Amino acid sequence: MIRLAIFCCMVFGMACSRFSSETTTGNDANPKPNPSNTVYFLLSGNDFVSTFDPVLAKFDTLRLSQQPLLDFAISANARYLLALTPDSLIQFDLLRERKIKIFNAPDEPTGQLSCNADAALAVYQCQVDQSRNICFFYLSNGQSYLMDEDALQESWHPLLSPSGQWLAFSRADGFYVRFITRQNPTQLHPTALHADQFSPGEFYLTAEGRIFDLTDMRLMPGDRVGKVRFVDNFTVIWAPESTGSVKLASISGAKEQTLYSTATPIVDFVVSREKQFVVSVNAENLDLTFTVFDFNTRQLELTSRLRIKTGQRLVRLVWPEKPDNLTHDN
């Protein structure tokens, strides 16, 4: 079991304190909003998904399997969590907090799991005849198929858009995107890239700091290297590679400003659905430090530290919408 050490401290010369319902922005009639819901993350080698409460600065675990998890994904409607093991695909209901189904996952899964908005369709990277391929898995009936029937054609790093219409992936000769219903993909870049995120309206796509316009299939201006997350269709937050800084900018790259900086490089970060808070993760020795920052008020809210095992790395970090604010079928 991972040992947890949680603390709030003085960081970057600013007082760090936990959220409370009494905290205000200086006007008692307008209470300061708290970040909603839970941040989910996976550490390599674990058979559970970890959670972080950005209000209480508390870590917990969601145990899903007796096997190490390769990856997990959360549907955009925040109802379902899917977890991938070396031989199975697990569907977990976040609203009812229970497992629904465990599917046999064909074609030797290796990771890179993503799903559409209601988790009816999942895609993941797999190994077939010593070649990397992409498996499409329909949870409604348990049916699956491979994207590449030609054993000589390798594809990897799949990312399915929330609408389920777009699939981004890489091949030896570049970075591609395709409509699910069409066979012929479009090359976006001559270098194989790891797709990160589709914009809320699915007009744009990020991959290793680059932003692609999907309306005319072109690379947007800007020389970013690192991770980029969308705040909305016009604004992004960017963490330059191998640095501890987090920046806010327009999607065109204009009006860039630094929000905050940390002493060690940021390995990943997520933006809240209410478009106000960012949680970043730094790694130093055997500690992961989680930082919660309000980028509207420009205030550092808290930091919490998690002790990890030697050799572990952060596989996935997700901050979904709060499911109990949504309407679901029974």
PDB file of all heavy atoms in Angstrom, residues 3 20-21 49 139 260 274 285 302:
ATOM      1  N   ARG A   3       2.174   4.676   0.945  1.00  0.00           N
ATOM      2  CA  ARG A   3       2.092   5.538   2.116  1.00  0.00           C
ATOM      3  C   ARG A   3       1.791   6.958   1.674  1.00  0.00           C
ATOM      4  O   ARG A   3       2.379   7.481   0.746  1.00  0.00           O
ATOM      5  CB  ARG A   3       3.406   5.504   2.891  1.00  0.00           C
ATOM      6  CG  ARG A   3       3.688   4.131   3.492  1.00  0.00           C
ATOM      7  CD  ARG A   3       4.913   4.142   4.384  1.00  0.00           C
ATOM      8  NE  ARG A   3       6.117   4.458   3.642  1.00  0.00           N
ATOM      9  CZ  ARG A   3       6.853   5.535   3.806  1.00  0.00           C
ATOM     10  NH1 ARG A   3       6.490   6.459   4.649  1.00  0.00           N
ATOM     11  NH2 ARG A   3       7.967   5.717   3.108  1.00  0.00           N
ATOM     12  N   SER A  20     -12.220  26.108   2.366  1.00  0.00           N
ATOM     13  CA  SER A  20     -13.332  25.907   3.282  1.00  0.00           C
ATOM     14  C   SER A  20     -14.531  26.651   2.731  1.00  0.00           C
ATOM     15  O   SER A  20     -14.390  27.557   1.913  1.00  0.00           O
ATOM     16  CB  SER A  20     -12.997  26.417   4.679  1.00  0.00           C
ATOM     17  OG  SER A  20     -12.877  27.822   4.678  1.00  0.00           O
ATOM     18  N   SER A  21     -15.702  26.268   3.190  1.00  0.00           N
ATOM     19  CA  SER A  21     -16.914  26.908   2.677  1.00  0.00           C
ATOM     20  C   SER A  21     -17.000  28.361   3.099  1.00  0.00           C
ATOM     21  O   SER A  21     -17.775  29.128   2.540  1.00  0.00           O
ATOM     22  CB  SER A  21     -18.154  26.154   3.174  1.00  0.00           C
ATOM     23  OG  SER A  21     -18.175  26.117   4.587  1.00  0.00           O
ATOM     24  N   VAL A  49      -6.800   2.663  -9.222  1.00  0.00           N
ATOM     25  CA  VAL A  49      -6.739   4.065  -9.626  1.00  0.00           C
ATOM     26  C   VAL A  49      -6.732   4.903  -8.359  1.00  0.00           C
ATOM     27  O   VAL A  49      -7.518   4.655  -7.429  1.00  0.00           O
ATOM     28  CB  VAL A  49      -7.943   4.443 -10.516  1.00  0.00           C
ATOM     29  CG1 VAL A  49      -7.974   5.941 -10.783  1.00  0.00           C
ATOM     30  CG2 VAL A  49      -7.890   3.671 -11.828  1.00  0.00           C
ATOM     31  N   LEU A 139     -18.668  -1.647 -26.050  1.00  0.00           N
ATOM     32  CA  LEU A 139     -19.066  -2.201 -24.767  1.00  0.00           C
ATOM     33  C   LEU A 139     -20.520  -2.676 -24.750  1.00  0.00           C
ATOM     34  O   LEU A 139     -20.898  -3.468 -23.891  1.00  0.00           O
ATOM     35  CB  LEU A 139     -18.850  -1.176 -23.644  1.00  0.00           C
ATOM     36  CG  LEU A 139     -17.401  -1.046 -23.156  1.00  0.00           C
ATOM     37  CD1 LEU A 139     -16.556  -0.228 -24.107  1.00  0.00           C
ATOM     38  CD2 LEU A 139     -17.344  -0.464 -21.765  1.00  0.00           C
ATOM     39  N   TYR A 260       2.118  30.507 -12.730  1.00  0.00           N
ATOM     40  CA  TYR A 260       2.952  30.220 -11.567  1.00  0.00           C
ATOM     41  C   TYR A 260       4.102  29.327 -11.986  1.00  0.00           C
ATOM     42  O   TYR A 260       4.102  28.756 -13.080  1.00  0.00           O
ATOM     43  CB  TYR A 260       2.149  29.577 -10.432  1.00  0.00           C
ATOM     44  CG  TYR A 260       1.578  28.217 -10.729  1.00  0.00           C
ATOM     45  CD1 TYR A 260       2.229  27.047 -10.340  1.00  0.00           C
ATOM     46  CD2 TYR A 260       0.351  28.085 -11.368  1.00  0.00           C
ATOM     47  CE1 TYR A 260       1.687  25.795 -10.586  1.00  0.00           C
ATOM     48  CE2 TYR A 260      -0.203  26.841 -11.622  1.00  0.00           C
ATOM     49  CZ  TYR A 260       0.460  25.700 -11.233  1.00  0.00           C
ATOM     50  OH  TYR A 260      -0.074  24.468 -11.484  1.00  0.00           O
ATOM     51  N   GLU A 274     -15.012  23.730 -14.542  1.00  0.00           N
ATOM     52  CA  GLU A 274     -15.562  25.074 -14.369  1.00  0.00           C
ATOM     53  C   GLU A 274     -14.610  26.140 -14.886  1.00  0.00           C
ATOM     54  O   GLU A 274     -14.863  27.330 -14.760  1.00  0.00           O
ATOM     55  CB  GLU A 274     -15.925  25.346 -12.910  1.00  0.00           C
ATOM     56  CG  GLU A 274     -14.772  25.268 -11.936  1.00  0.00           C
ATOM     57  CD  GLU A 274     -14.632  23.893 -11.297  1.00  0.00           C
ATOM     58  OE1 GLU A 274     -15.139  22.915 -11.873  1.00  0.00           O
ATOM     59  OE2 GLU A 274     -14.013  23.811 -10.234  1.00  0.00           O
ATOM     60  N   ASN A 285      12.384  12.871  -6.641  1.00  0.00           N
ATOM     61  CA  ASN A 285      12.759  11.662  -5.909  1.00  0.00           C
ATOM     62  C   ASN A 285      11.554  10.723  -5.827  1.00  0.00           C
ATOM     63  O   ASN A 285      11.025  10.319  -6.847  1.00  0.00           O
ATOM     64  CB  ASN A 285      13.312  12.032  -4.536  1.00  0.00           C
ATOM     65  CG  ASN A 285      14.559  12.887  -4.633  1.00  0.00           C
ATOM     66  OD1 ASN A 285      15.384  12.697  -5.525  1.00  0.00           O
ATOM     67  ND2 ASN A 285      14.697  13.837  -3.723  1.00  0.00           N
ATOM     68  N   LEU A 302      -3.391  25.287  -2.569  1.00  0.00           N
ATOM     69  CA  LEU A 302      -2.802  24.304  -1.668  1.00  0.00           C
ATOM     70  C   LEU A 302      -1.823  23.416  -2.425  1.00  0.00           C
ATOM     71  O   LEU A 302      -1.822  23.373  -3.655  1.00  0.00           O
ATOM     72  CB  LEU A 302      -3.869  23.449  -0.985  1.00  0.00           C
ATOM     73  CG  LEU A 302      -4.802  22.571  -1.845  1.00  0.00           C
ATOM     74  CD1 LEU A 302      -4.169  21.241  -2.196  1.00  0.00           C
ATOM     75  CD2 LEU A 302      -6.101  22.329  -1.079  1.00  0.00           C
TER      76      LEU A 302
END
